[in-house]
Amino acid sequence: MATASPSPERDSGAQNIEVDYVISYTIPPSPPTETAEAEASFISLIESLSATGLATEVRPGRTPSSLLVFVKLDSEKLLKDQVYRYRVQDWLYGVRTAAPNPSHSPLTEYFASEPVTEAERLRLAYLLITKPKNEGGAGITPKVGVWRFVSSVFPLHDRKFNSEWLKEWSTKYVLDEQDLTKIRDKFGERVAFYFAFLQSYFQFLVFPAAFGAAAWLVLGGFSWFYAAVNCLWSVVFFEHWKMKEADLAVQWGVKGVSKIQLPRSQFKFEREDVDPVTGEIVKYFSPFRRLARQALVVPFAAACVVVLGGLIVGCFAIEIFINEVYAGPFKGYLTFLPTVLLTIFNPTFTTLLTRLAERLTEWENYETVDAHQASFVQKIFVINFITSYLGIFLTAFVYVPFGKILVPYLDVFAVTAQKFTTEGKPLPTQAWQINPDRLKKQVIYFTVTAQVVNFATEVIVPFAKRKVFKTVEKVQTELAEKNNDGTAVVKIQDAPDEAKFLKRVRDEAELSQYDVTIDYREMVIQFGYLSLFSVVWPLTACSFLVNNWIEARSDAMKIAANSQRPIPWRADSIGPWLDSLGFLSWLGSVTSAALVFLFNRTKDGGGPPDGSPWDITGWALLVAILFSEHLYLVVQHVVRGVIQKMDSPGLQKERAERFKMRKQLFERMVQQEVSGEEKIPERSKKESVESGRFWGRQGPAGAAETIAIGRALIRQAVDAGEKNQTKVARD
Amino acid sequence: MATASPSPERDSGAQNIEVDYVISYTIPPSPPTETAEAEASFISLIESLSATGLATEVRPGRTPSSLLVFVKLDSEKLLKDQVYRYRVQDWLYGVRTAAPNPSHSPLTEYFASEPVTEAERLRLAYLLITKPKNEGGAGITPKVGVWRFVSSVFPLHDRKFNSEWLKEWSTKYVLDEQDLTKIRDKFGERVAFYFAFLQSYFQFLVFPAAFGAAAWLVLGGFSWFYAAVNCLWSVVFFEHWKMKEADLAVQWGVKGVSKIQLPRSQFKFEREDVDPVTGEIVKYFSPFRRLARQALVVPFAAACVVVLGGLIVGCFAIEIFINEVYAGPFKGYLTFLPTVLLTIFNPTFTTLLTRLAERLTEWENYETVDAHQASFVQKIFVINFITSYLGIFLTAFVYVPFGKILVPYLDVFAVTAQKFTTEGKPLPTQAWQINPDRLKKQVIYFTVTAQVVNFATEVIVPFAKRKVFKTVEKVQTELAEKNNDGTAVVKIQDAPDEAKFLKRVRDEAELSQYDVTIDYREMVIQFGYLSLFSVVWPLTACSFLVNNWIEARSDAMKIAANSQRPIPWRADSIGPWLDSLGFLSWLGSVTSAALVFLFNRTKDGGGPPDGSPWDITGWALLVAILFSEHLYLVVQHVVRGVIQKMDSPGLQKERAERFKMRKQLFERMVQQEVSGEEKIPERSKKESVESGRFWGRQGPAGAAETIAIGRALIRQAVDAGEKNQTKVARD
C-alpha cells in the first residue's frame, strides 16, 4: 500500500505541509508507573504547546513505543508578534541598525520590506517550544526532568532544496556568497558560518599547495624559507578570517548576536536575586564557585596527558622496540601490535575523556548555551591536540634528538618478553639505528591516510549503517506481518495520503543530530598539521586542498541526508574555535623554528641527527624559537593593521545603513521646526546684565561693527609698529 | 586705574560673561602685504563666524600686534540644533542607547531631561568654529593656510570652579567618582580619563608599595617571589584598568565615541571619490601609500637607537672609565663630564627627534585626529623608551655580566687622552673592579631623583618663568608709559567695567596649551620602571606612591593655572597608551626573570657577578625568560577572564538603560494591537489543501483530540509491549 504510491502522494512525501517541528516522544512500555508518567507528561506536553499557540497533531512512530507530535505556529499573528519582539531585542542590543517602528508604518508594510526567512521562523518556533512558560514559551526541555520522554525536537528537511543543493555543489568548483546565503536562509547562520569558514580556508589553501609543491621540488623538507612563508601565510589567513567573519556577520545582519545569550535550561541556580538595577528576578550562581570548578580543567588536561599521552608513548615505545630493536620470533605479527593497541584504546579513552569533559562542563553550570559550548570546546581541543599531535611531537623532539639515550631503556620489553619465553635464552635483537624517515612518514600518515579514514568514518560508515539497519528492519517488519500481531495494527492506521510523508518523518526521526562542532574540530586540527608540521613535508597543503573540496560536499551530504535538519541558530563568528586557530598559528611559529633548527643541518652535510643530543647548543635552539615567536607576533601585529584598513562588503553595508538612517532623521528634523523661542534657564541676573553690556558694545548686528573696530585696531598696530621702527631708526 | 579696582569689577574679571571661545589673532606689523592679508583674513574670519551663527566682539590684545576676538553661540536654537544633531549621530554609532525622539515629546522636555553640560556646549561650539563650511561650520583652522594669523582658539577658565577644585583636592586624600565627573563636565572626557587613570593607578600602587617595603626588609633585591608578585600585580592592574575604562566610558555615556572620528583639517587628499554606497563625496588617500610611509617608523626607531643609544652608551663608557679606571689629574671635575654631556645633548636630541616624529606623522597624512595622535604617541614612546630605560638595560645586561670583557676596550679613552697630555707618560689608571651597586643606584636615581626633577620642571619652572616675564613686562609697560607713545593708547581703550576681565583673558591667551599626552607619557614611563626594574629595588612603588599623590594635584594646578583651558574633547579610553602599558607589563615579565636569574645568585653565596660571563648557561637563562613570559601570558588570560566576570556600575547602567527601553517598547507594543488578520501570502494552493487535510484530522480545536488519540496510541504501545512479553514468556 505505502510502497507503491501514485505521484500526488510522492509529492506530499517531499513537502512539509506546514509542519514547523516534529517532537519525537518515547513511551517506555514498562514499568507501569513510567508508562503512566509518560502518558501524563504527554498530556501536559500537548496542553503546553496548545496554550502557547501552537497547533499539534499526533501520529504513531515507527515502533509502537514512539509517538510523533507535529507542531506548527497556529496563527500568523503569533509569528509576527514573535518576529517583532525578537527584532526589537536585536535592535536594543545593536544587532539591527534600524528599529522596527510600528508607530510610523503599518506592520504589513514592515513585514513586506523585511520578510521573515525560513530560518528565522524555525528559530522562533523552537524558542517558543523551549523557552520557559513565564517568558511565553511552552517550556519543553528535551530529555530533561519531566520532559525526559521527549527524545528530540527537530524541523523537517526541505527535500527539494536539499537535492538541488547537493546537485549544484557537486558540479561547482568554488562556492560563492550566494551559496552561503542560501544555506543561511535554510539552516541558520551557525551552519552557514561553518561553510563560509571551510570555503575561505579552501581558497586560502591554494597558495600553500602551490608554494608547497614548488618548495618540495626545489627546497625539500625543513627549509627555513618554506617555514617563514608558511607562518606568514597562517597569520594572513587567521587575520583575514577574523575580518571576513566580522564582515559576514554584518552582511547577514547578525553582528553582535553573541551578546544576546540564549539561557541554558539545564542551568541550576543557587538562589534567585532581584536585580538592583532593573528589578527583574535573576538566577544567581556564584561566579567564584564556577571559577573554582573551572580550575578543574587543569587536572583534566593533566589526566588527558597521562592517559592519552601514556597510551601514545607506550605504543610508540613498543613500536620502536619491535621494528627497530627486536629481531625475535613472530616479528611479522608483532609489528601490528601497537596499531592494534592504538585502534582499540585510543577511541575508547577519547570517548571516556569526552564524556568526562561533558560532565565537567555540565558541572561548571553555565547560564548560557554559548558559555557552555565554549568551555566544552576548550576541553575537546585539549583531547584532540594530544591525540593528533603528540605522536609527531614525540618523534621530532624526543625520538630523533634523544633516541640514542632513551632506546636502551626499551630493554624493559625484552626482559618482560623473556619471562614468557621458556628457553631462557636472550631475545635476539638487532643493532639499533635511528630511522630518519620516521618523522616524514608519520606526518604523511596524519595528513593523507588519516584524512581518508576520517572521510570514510564520517560519510560511508553512517550510510552503510543505515542500509544495514533498513534491511534488518524490513526483515523484522515482514516477520511481524507474518506473525500478524499488535505491531501491524499501527501500520494500517496511516492514511494513504499521509503514508509517504509519515514514512519520511519516521526516517528523519531516527537520524542523529548534526553537530557543527565536530566539523569545526576536524578543520581546526587539520589547520594545525599545516601550521605545526608542514615544514617536514611541504606537500601537506596539496593533500588538504583535495580533501577539503570533498569535505565541503560530504558535509553538505551529512547535513542533507545523514542528519536531522539542524535548528537554525544564529552566530556571529566561528566562536571558540577562533582561539584554537590563533593558538595553533602561534604555536606553528615555535615548532617550525625548532624543526628547521633541529633537522635542517641534515641537508648541509652536518650529518644526520643520529639520536644523541649532538652538537646543538641549547641556547641557540632557544634563541631560534624566541626569535621566531616574537617575529611572528610582530608580523601578526602588522598584518592585522593592514587587513583592518581594507574595505569590505559588510563595512559598506553598515555605512549605507547608517547613512540612510542619518538622512531620514535629518530630513525629519528639517521638516519639524526646532523651536527657537524656548530659552534655557537664564544665568544669574547680574552676569546677564554685565554680559549684555559686553556683548552689546559693538552693536546688535555685530559682525559689521566688529570688523570696523577690528580694522581700526589693526591700523593702530601697524602705526605702532611703524612708530617703533622710526624710533629705532632715530635712536 | 586697572590695578586698584572695586569689588564688582573683580567679579566681572572672574566670570566669563557668556564668552564661549576667544580667538587670539596676530597681526604682523610688516611687511605691508602680510598686514593687508591679515586684515582681509580678519574680515573673512568675522564674516565666517557671523554666518555660522556666532556672535563676535573684538578687543585689543596685550601687544598692539594682537587682537582678541570673543565668540559665543548667538542663539539657543543654534545650540539645541547642534546638540540634537550630534546626539543623533552618537545614537547612530551606538554611543547612546536611546534615540533623541523629537516626534514623541517636545524638545523642551527632552532638553530638560538630558541637559547640556558645559563640556558639551564648548565642544560643539569649537566644532562649529572649526569644521568646514560645507558641514555648517566656520571652517577656521588655526595656524593653517589663510588662517595662519589665528594663533589660538581657546575657551576661558572658570576661575571660581578652578580655585574650588584646587582647594578641594589639596585637602583630600583619595579622589572619588564625583570628583572625576566634575572634571568631565568642565574639561571633557579626555582630561577626565587621565585623572581617572592616575587615580586608579595611585590606588593600585598602595599594594606594591606595602608589599615592596616588606620585600625590601625581608627578601632584599632580586627576589623571585617579589618578581612574581610584581608581575601578577601589573597584569591585574592592566586588566583591571581595561575594564575600568570601558566601565567609565559607559557611565559617562561615551562608550564607542572613538568610532566617531574627528577629521583632521590638515589631511591632504589625493582625489575626491564618490562613495559607491552612500553617494557622498569622500576624500581619498591611498592606504598603501600611507603604509609605505608608516614603514619609515623602522628607520626612525633605528635612528633613535643610534642617536640616543649612542649618546647614552658613550656617556656610560666615559663615566665608567673616569670613575672606575681613570686615576689621573682632574678626576674630581671629570666625574661630572658624562652628566654634563647628557644634560646638554639628551634634551637637544630628544627635541630634534620629537620634531622629526611630528614631521613623519604629519607626512603619514592621517584622515582623523585619533589616528594621527596614535601614530605620534607610538613614536614618542620609542624615544622615551630609549632615554628612560636604555641606561639601566646597559648596566644590567651588558656592564655587569660582560664588563670584564668590555672595559679593557675603554682604554681607547686613555689613548685619546694621552695625546693631549704633553708629558707622554701613561695615564695613571686603577685596578678595575665591577661596581655591584651601580644598578641599584641607577634605578634609585630614575625612580626618585628623576621624579623630583620632573616635578620641578613641570610645575615650578613654568611658574617661575611667568613670574619673571610678568616683572619684565611690568617694567616694559612702565617704560612705555613714560615714553607715552602709541602703546599706551591701547591701554586706555579698555572700558573700566571690562578692564579686569580683559586683563585676565590676555593672561590666558599667553598660556600654553595643555597637552594630556605629556602627562600620560610620564605615568606610563613610570609604570615601566615599576614593571621592568623594581625587582632591583623593591621600594620603587613607595616612591611612586608619594610622587603620584603630588602629581595629581600638580597636574590639576597645571591645567587650572599654567595652561589655557583645554578644549573638552571626548574619549572612551586612554587611547594608544593602553598598548604601551600592555607592552611594558609584558616586557616586565621578561626583564624581571632575567634580572632575578642573573643577580639572584649574589645572595645565595654563589659569588657576586664579577663582570665576566661566568657560569650562567645561556640556555638556562633563556628557559627562565621563556617560562616567565609564557607564564605571564597564561596568567594574563586567566586574570582577564576573571575580571570580565565582575559586575560594575557601568554595566549596571547599560543594563538599566536597555531594560528601560525594552519595557517602554513592549508597553507601546501591547497598547497597539499587532494586527492578526493580515496574512502572509499563502503557500502554493495544492500544498495548502493537503496540509489542511493533515492538520484537520484531529479537529479544529486540536489539543483535546490530539491528547485523546495520543493516549489511545500509548495504550496500544503498552498492549503491544505486554503481548510481546507474553509471547516471549510463551516461547
Side-chain angles (χ1 to χ4, degrees):
Chain A
M1 293 157 269
T3 31
S5 56
S7 137
E9 275 169 26
R10 175 165 293 147
D11 270 356
S12 94
Q15 283 165 351
N16 290 339
I17 47 172
E18 288 183 9
V19 171
D20 285 321
Y21 276 91
V22 176
I23 300 178
S24 172
Y25 198 85
T26 317
I27 304 130
S30 62
T33 50
E34 274 292 280
T35 314
E37 233 179 284
E39 194 175 337
S41 176
F42 173 78
I43 294 168
S44 102
L45 170 76
I46 303 297
E47 280 171 354
S48 302
L49 291 171
S50 177
T52 315
L54 298 159
T56 51
E57 284 278 320
V58 66
R59 296 287 184 278
R62 172 144 299 157
T63 63
S65 66
S66 72
L67 295 180
L68 297 174
V69 180
F70 294 84
V71 180
K72 73 162 180 176
L73 292 173
D74 207 10
S75 68
E76 284 304 321
K77 184 184 176 315
L78 180 66
L79 174 66
K80 284 186 182 171
D81 209 71
Q82 292 297 312
V83 169
Y84 185 73
R85 228 162 237 268
Y86 280 95
R87 285 187 183 174
V88 165
Q89 192 191 44
D90 283 359
W91 169 70
L92 279 172
Y93 278 88
V95 174
R96 290 181 159 256
T97 321
N101 214 344
S103 58
H104 283 280
S105 62
L107 271 185
T108 347
E109 256 176 50
Y110 172 66
F111 280 109
S113 70
E114 290 201 61
V116 184
T117 66
E118 206 176 317
E120 190 172 9
R121 181 192 167 96
L122 283 177
R123 180 167 54 84
L124 297 182
Y126 188 79
L127 283 175
L128 260 185
I129 295 172
T130 54
K131 73 182 172 185
K133 282 189 180 168
N134 60 5
E135 290 171 27
I140 316 295
T141 50
K143 293 180 185 170
V144 175
V146 286
W147 305 116
R148 65 185 176 279
F149 308 106
V150 174
S151 54
S152 65
V153 178
F154 61 95
L156 291 175
H157 273 295
D158 183 340
R159 287 286 157 198
K160 201 165 145 247
F161 170 83
N162 283 0
S163 62
E164 271 168 22
W165 176 32
L166 293 180
K167 210 170 123 194
E168 208 182 321
W169 279 29
S170 59
T171 54
K172 225 175 184 174
Y173 193 66
V174 176
L175 309 179
D176 54 33
E177 303 258 307
Q178 247 193 327
D179 292 315
L180 295 175
T181 310
K182 270 188 212 162
I183 295 182
R184 175 207 160 209
D185 290 343
K186 280 286 165 186
F187 302 108
E189 284 82 7
R190 201 160 154 205
V191 172
F193 257 113
Y194 168 68
F195 282 103
F197 173 73
L198 190 56
Q199 180 54 21
S200 188
Y201 177 45
F202 173 73
Q203 284 172 334
F204 259 84
L205 271 178
V206 172
F207 172 75
F211 179 75
W216 182 71
L217 287 170
V218 180
L219 304 165
F222 308 112
S223 143
W224 67 263
F225 183 63
Y226 174 83
V229 172
N230 190 50
C231 278
L232 183 65
W233 172 82
S234 79
V235 171
V236 172
F237 169 65
F238 179 65
E239 294 299 330
H240 172 268
W241 172 254
K242 276 211 293 192
M243 196 207 58
K244 174 92 182 171
E245 79 172 11
D247 192 58
L248 280 174
V250 174
Q251 283 189 63
W252 290 342
V254 288
K255 189 183 167 190
V257 290
S258 56
K259 278 183 286 178
I260 308 173
Q261 296 279 359
L262 199 69
R264 254 180 91 238
S265 53
Q266 294 95 320
F267 171 62
K268 291 182 194 71
F269 51 93
E270 285 173 343
R271 60 170 192 271
E272 285 186 318
D273 272 359
V274 174
D275 190 309
V277 183
T278 61
E280 281 175 317
I281 288 171
V282 285
K283 293 167 177 175
Y284 179 83
F285 181 76
S286 163
F288 297 102
R289 205 151 163 197
R290 182 175 298 127
L291 203 72
R293 294 182 180 182
Q294 279 169 333
L296 282 179
V297 78
V298 177
F300 172 76
C304 291
V305 170
V306 170
V307 173
L308 294 170
L311 177 69
I312 291 168
V313 170
C315 291
F316 195 90
I318 295 174
E319 192 189 338
I320 289 170
F321 175 75
I322 291 170
N323 282 346
E324 296 167 25
V325 182
Y326 182 74
F330 310 117
K331 181 168 175 168
Y333 299 102
L334 283 174
T335 310
F336 294 106
L337 182 64
T339 315
V340 171
L341 287 177
L342 266 183
T343 318
I344 294 172
F345 289 112
N346 207 1
T348 318
F349 288 170
T350 307
T351 312
L352 284 176
L353 286 168
T354 307
R355 231 172 263 167
L356 183 60
E358 260 166 23
R359 284 275 187 85
L360 265 180
T361 316
E362 193 70 39
W363 197 54
E364 285 166 11
N365 194 21
Y366 291 99
E367 276 158 77
T368 61
V369 174
D370 277 4
H372 179 87
Q373 192 64 16
S375 175
F376 180 62
V377 162
Q378 203 186 36
K379 292 184 185 70
I380 60 171
F381 181 69
V382 171
I383 298 174
N384 279 279
F385 187 88
I386 296 168
T387 52
S388 308
Y389 308 134
L390 189 64
I392 306 182
F393 271 114
L394 278 177
T395 308
F397 301 119
V398 179
Y399 168 79
V400 177
F402 301 108
K404 266 240 167 100
I405 303 172
L406 295 174
V407 164
Y409 292 101
L410 294 181
D411 275 345
V412 71
F413 292 114
V415 174
T416 317
Q418 240 155 352
K419 284 193 180 158
F420 296 95
T421 52
T422 41
E423 295 128 69
K425 279 187 288 179
L427 271 173
T429 51
Q430 62 191 32
W432 183 73
Q433 197 58 40
I434 213 136
N435 181 351
D437 262 2
R438 198 187 152 78
L439 182 61
K440 197 164 140 190
K441 274 187 188 155
Q442 221 174 347
V443 169
I444 295 176
Y445 168 77
F446 274 110
T447 52
V448 181
T449 325
Q451 300 287 326
V452 174
V453 172
N454 217 332
F455 171 75
T457 52
E458 212 176 38
V459 179
I460 300 172
V461 169
F463 185 75
K465 230 158 94 183
R466 263 188 313 136
K467 278 275 162 208
V468 171
F469 274 129
K470 277 214 171 156
T471 320
V472 171
E473 195 183 86
K474 215 173 176 183
V475 173
Q476 278 181 337
T477 317
E478 275 164 19
L479 281 172
E481 271 169 4
K482 263 185 208 156
N483 279 347
N484 201 20
D485 78 80
T487 42
V489 182
V490 179
K491 191 105 216 166
I492 296 165
Q493 277 190 340
D494 283 356
D497 57 345
E498 288 176 16
K500 188 92 190 169
F501 170 70
L502 288 178
K503 184 180 175 305
R504 206 194 97 207
V505 175
R506 283 172 195 138
D507 282 348
E508 287 189 23
E510 277 163 14
L511 294 173
S512 56
Q513 280 174 9
Y514 173 69
D515 184 5
V516 78
T517 311
I518 292 168
D519 286 339
Y520 273 127
R521 188 190 60 194
E522 204 180 315
M523 283 301 109
V524 169
I525 292 295
Q526 192 195 76
F527 174 80
Y529 285 119
L530 192 61
S531 159
L532 300 179
F533 305 116
S534 71
V535 69
V536 175
W537 189 58
L539 287 179
T540 303
C542 298
S543 156
F544 289 163
L545 190 70
V546 175
N547 179 76
N548 289 0
W549 193 91
I550 302 167
E551 180 75 28
R553 277 76 191 166
S554 74
D555 284 338
M557 174 97 157
K558 194 162 82 179
I559 293 178
N562 293 352
S563 312
Q564 286 174 359
R565 179 168 178 175
I567 291 149
W569 292 121
R570 297 193 296 181
D572 61 357
S573 86
I574 61 170
W577 292 108
L578 196 67
D579 292 334
S580 309
L581 271 187
F583 173 75
L584 288 173
S585 170
W586 161 81
L587 192 62
S589 74
V590 174
T591 57
S592 299
L595 285 170
V596 171
F597 189 87
L598 283 172
F599 292 89
N600 193 22
R601 56 189 64 214
T602 325
K603 298 193 307 182
D604 301 348
D610 58 357
S612 57
W614 70 102
D615 59 328
I616 295 172
T617 34
W619 72 266
L621 172 62
L622 285 164
V623 165
I625 290 175
L626 260 179
F627 176 75
S628 164
E629 183 186 348
H630 290 96
L631 185 67
Y632 172 87
L633 292 174
V634 170
V635 168
Q636 184 179 42
H637 197 78
V638 172
V639 169
R640 191 172 295 169
V642 172
I643 284 182
Q644 275 170 356
K645 290 278 179 305
M646 293 176 180
D647 203 11
S648 66
L651 284 176
Q652 286 182 353
K653 193 191 164 206
E654 209 174 11
R655 217 162 58 227
E657 273 173 4
R658 203 163 271 158
F659 181 73
K660 206 178 108 200
M661 289 281 294
R662 205 168 51 214
K663 222 172 135 187
Q664 281 174 357
L665 268 159
F666 284 155
E667 272 163 12
R668 209 188 294 160
M669 215 172 78
V670 170
Q671 284 165 7
Q672 176 195 354
E673 257 272 323
V674 177
S675 164
E677 284 95 322
E678 308 161 6
K679 273 260 177 192
I680 283 181
E682 293 207 346
R683 298 182 189 199
S684 72
K685 210 183 162 196
K686 184 169 160 294
E687 190 180 288
S688 165
V689 170
E690 271 181 3
S691 82
R693 257 153 78 192
F694 177 82
W695 287 104
R697 287 228 197 273
Q698 284 160 14
E705 224 171 320
T706 307
I707 290 171
I709 294 174
R711 293 182 74 171
L713 286 168
I714 292 172
R715 271 306 99 213
Q716 281 182 4
V718 176
D719 292 350
E722 276 168 6
K723 257 186 208 163
N724 274 344
Q725 275 185 337
T726 332
K727 217 177 82 181
V728 172
R730 251 187 289 172
D731 286 350
Chain B
M1 291 157 266
T3 31
S5 56
S7 137
E9 275 169 25
R10 178 165 292 147
D11 270 355
S12 93
Q15 283 163 350
N16 290 339
I17 46 171
E18 289 184 9
V19 172
D20 285 320
Y21 277 90
V22 177
I23 298 177
S24 171
Y25 198 85
T26 316
I27 304 131
S30 63
T33 49
E34 273 292 279
T35 314
E37 233 178 286
E39 193 174 338
S41 175
F42 174 78
I43 294 168
S44 101
L45 171 76
I46 302 297
E47 280 171 352
S48 302
L49 290 172
S50 177
T52 315
L54 297 159
T56 51
E57 284 279 320
V58 67
R59 296 287 185 277
R62 173 145 296 158
T63 63
S65 65
S66 73
L67 295 181
L68 297 174
V69 179
F70 294 83
V71 180
K72 73 162 179 176
L73 292 174
D74 208 10
S75 67
E76 284 303 320
K77 184 182 175 316
L78 180 65
L79 175 66
K80 284 185 182 172
D81 209 72
Q82 292 296 313
V83 169
Y84 185 72
R85 228 163 237 266
Y86 280 95
R87 284 187 182 176
V88 165
Q89 192 190 43
D90 283 358
W91 169 69
L92 279 172
Y93 278 87
V95 174
R96 288 181 161 257
T97 321
N101 213 346
S103 58
H104 283 279
S105 62
L107 271 185
T108 347
E109 255 176 52
Y110 172 64
F111 280 109
S113 69
E114 291 200 61
V116 184
T117 66
E118 206 176 318
E120 189 172 11
R121 182 191 166 96
L122 284 176
R123 179 166 55 83
L124 296 182
Y126 188 79
L127 283 175
L128 261 184
I129 295 172
T130 53
K131 72 183 172 184
K133 284 189 179 169
N134 60 4
E135 291 172 24
I140 316 294
T141 51
K143 293 181 184 168
V144 175
V146 286
W147 305 117
R148 63 186 178 278
F149 308 106
V150 175
S151 54
S152 65
V153 178
F154 61 96
L156 291 175
H157 272 297
D158 183 339
R159 288 286 156 196
K160 201 164 146 246
F161 171 83
N162 283 359
S163 62
E164 271 168 23
W165 176 32
L166 293 181
K167 210 170 125 197
E168 209 182 320
W169 278 29
S170 59
T171 54
K172 223 175 187 175
Y173 194 66
V174 175
L175 309 179
D176 54 31
E177 303 258 307
Q178 248 193 328
D179 293 315
L180 296 175
T181 310
K182 271 189 209 159
I183 295 181
R184 174 207 161 210
D185 290 344
K186 281 285 165 187
F187 302 109
E189 284 82 8
R190 199 159 155 206
V191 172
F193 257 114
Y194 169 67
F195 283 102
F197 173 72
L198 190 56
Q199 179 54 22
S200 188
Y201 177 45
F202 173 73
Q203 283 172 333
F204 260 82
L205 270 178
V206 173
F207 172 75
F211 178 75
W216 182 71
L217 287 171
V218 180
L219 304 166
F222 308 112
S223 141
W224 67 263
F225 184 63
Y226 174 83
V229 171
N230 190 50
C231 277
L232 183 65
W233 171 84
S234 79
V235 171
V236 172
F237 168 66
F238 178 65
E239 294 299 329
H240 173 267
W241 172 254
K242 276 210 293 192
M243 196 207 58
K244 175 90 181 173
E245 79 171 13
D247 192 58
L248 279 174
V250 173
Q251 283 189 63
W252 290 343
V254 288
K255 189 184 168 189
V257 290
S258 57
K259 278 182 287 177
I260 308 173
Q261 297 279 357
L262 199 69
R264 254 180 91 238
S265 52
Q266 295 96 319
F267 171 62
K268 292 181 193 73
F269 51 93
E270 285 174 342
R271 60 168 192 272
E272 286 186 317
D273 271 359
V274 174
D275 189 309
V277 183
T278 61
E280 280 176 317
I281 287 170
V282 287
K283 294 167 177 174
Y284 179 83
F285 181 77
S286 162
F288 297 101
R289 204 153 164 194
R290 182 175 299 129
L291 202 72
R293 294 183 180 181
Q294 280 169 333
L296 283 179
V297 79
V298 176
F300 171 77
C304 291
V305 170
V306 170
V307 173
L308 294 171
L311 177 69
I312 291 168
V313 170
C315 290
F316 195 91
I318 295 173
E319 193 189 339
I320 288 170
F321 176 74
I322 291 171
N323 282 346
E324 296 167 26
V325 183
Y326 183 73
F330 310 117
K331 182 168 174 169
Y333 299 104
L334 284 173
T335 310
F336 294 106
L337 183 63
T339 314
V340 170
L341 287 177
L342 264 184
T343 317
I344 294 171
F345 289 110
N346 206 1
T348 319
F349 289 169
T350 306
T351 312
L352 285 176
L353 286 169
T354 307
R355 229 171 266 165
L356 183 60
E358 259 166 22
R359 285 278 186 81
L360 263 181
T361 316
E362 193 68 42
W363 197 55
E364 284 165 12
N365 192 23
Y366 291 99
E367 276 158 77
T368 62
V369 174
D370 276 4
H372 179 88
Q373 192 63 18
S375 174
F376 181 62
V377 161
Q378 201 187 38
K379 293 185 184 68
I380 59 170
F381 181 69
V382 171
I383 299 174
N384 279 278
F385 187 88
I386 296 168
T387 52
S388 308
Y389 308 133
L390 189 63
I392 305 182
F393 270 113
L394 277 177
T395 309
F397 302 118
V398 179
Y399 168 78
V400 177
F402 301 108
K404 264 233 167 111
I405 303 173
L406 295 174
V407 163
Y409 291 101
L410 294 182
D411 275 346
V412 72
F413 291 115
V415 174
T416 318
Q418 238 156 352
K419 285 193 178 158
F420 295 94
T421 51
T422 40
E423 296 128 70
K425 278 188 288 181
L427 272 175
T429 51
Q430 62 193 30
W432 183 73
Q433 196 60 38
I434 213 134
N435 182 351
D437 263 0
R438 197 188 153 79
L439 182 61
K440 197 163 138 190
K441 274 189 188 153
Q442 220 173 349
V443 169
I444 295 177
Y445 167 76
F446 275 110
T447 54
V448 182
T449 325
Q451 300 287 326
V452 174
V453 172
N454 217 333
F455 171 75
T457 51
E458 213 177 37
V459 178
I460 300 172
V461 170
F463 186 76
K465 230 159 93 182
R466 264 188 313 137
K467 279 275 164 208
V468 171
F469 275 128
K470 278 215 170 155
T471 321
V472 171
E473 196 183 87
K474 214 174 176 182
V475 173
Q476 278 182 335
T477 317
E478 274 165 20
L479 281 172
E481 271 169 3
K482 264 184 207 157
N483 280 347
N484 201 18
D485 77 83
T487 43
V489 182
V490 180
K491 191 108 214 165
I492 297 164
Q493 277 189 339
D494 283 355
D497 56 345
E498 287 176 15
K500 188 92 189 168
F501 171 70
L502 288 177
K503 184 179 176 304
R504 206 195 97 207
V505 175
R506 283 171 195 139
D507 282 347
E508 287 189 21
E510 277 163 14
L511 295 174
S512 57
Q513 281 174 8
Y514 173 70
D515 184 5
V516 78
T517 311
I518 293 168
D519 285 338
Y520 273 128
R521 188 190 59 193
E522 205 180 316
M523 281 302 109
V524 169
I525 292 294
Q526 192 196 75
F527 174 80
Y529 285 118
L530 192 60
S531 160
L532 301 179
F533 305 116
S534 72
V535 69
V536 174
W537 189 58
L539 285 179
T540 303
C542 298
S543 155
F544 290 164
L545 191 69
V546 175
N547 179 77
N548 289 1
W549 193 91
I550 302 167
E551 180 75 29
R553 277 76 191 166
S554 74
D555 284 339
M557 174 94 160
K558 194 162 84 178
I559 293 178
N562 293 352
S563 312
Q564 287 174 359
R565 178 169 178 176
I567 291 149
W569 292 121
R570 297 192 296 180
D572 62 357
S573 86
I574 62 170
W577 292 109
L578 195 67
D579 292 335
S580 309
L581 271 188
F583 173 74
L584 289 173
S585 171
W586 162 80
L587 193 62
S589 75
V590 174
T591 57
S592 298
L595 285 170
V596 171
F597 189 86
L598 282 172
F599 292 90
N600 192 22
R601 58 189 63 214
T602 326
K603 298 192 305 180
D604 301 347
D610 58 355
S612 56
W614 70 102
D615 59 328
I616 295 172
T617 33
W619 72 266
L621 172 62
L622 285 166
V623 165
I625 290 175
L626 260 180
F627 176 75
S628 164
E629 182 187 348
H630 290 96
L631 185 68
Y632 171 87
L633 293 174
V634 169
V635 168
Q636 183 178 43
H637 196 78
V638 172
V639 169
R640 190 172 296 170
V642 172
I643 284 182
Q644 275 171 356
K645 289 278 177 307
M646 293 176 179
D647 203 11
S648 66
L651 284 176
Q652 286 182 353
K653 192 189 165 209
E654 209 174 10
R655 216 161 60 226
E657 273 173 6
R658 203 162 272 157
F659 181 73
K660 206 177 107 201
M661 289 280 293
R662 205 168 52 214
K663 220 171 135 190
Q664 282 173 357
L665 269 159
F666 284 156
E667 272 163 13
R668 207 187 297 160
M669 216 171 76
V670 170
Q671 284 166 6
Q672 177 197 353
E673 259 271 323
V674 176
S675 166
E677 285 97 321
E678 308 162 5
K679 272 258 177 194
I680 284 179
E682 292 206 346
R683 299 182 190 199
S684 75
K685 210 186 164 196
K686 187 167 159 292
E687 191 181 288
S688 165
V689 169
E690 271 180 5
S691 82
R693 258 152 79 191
F694 178 83
W695 287 103
R697 288 225 198 275
Q698 284 160 15
E705 225 171 319
T706 306
I707 291 171
I709 294 174
R711 294 181 74 172
L713 287 168
I714 293 173
R715 268 308 98 214
Q716 280 181 6
V718 176
D719 291 350
E722 276 167 5
K723 258 186 208 161
N724 274 346
Q725 275 183 339
T726 332
K727 217 177 83 183
V728 172
R730 252 187 291 172
D731 288 350

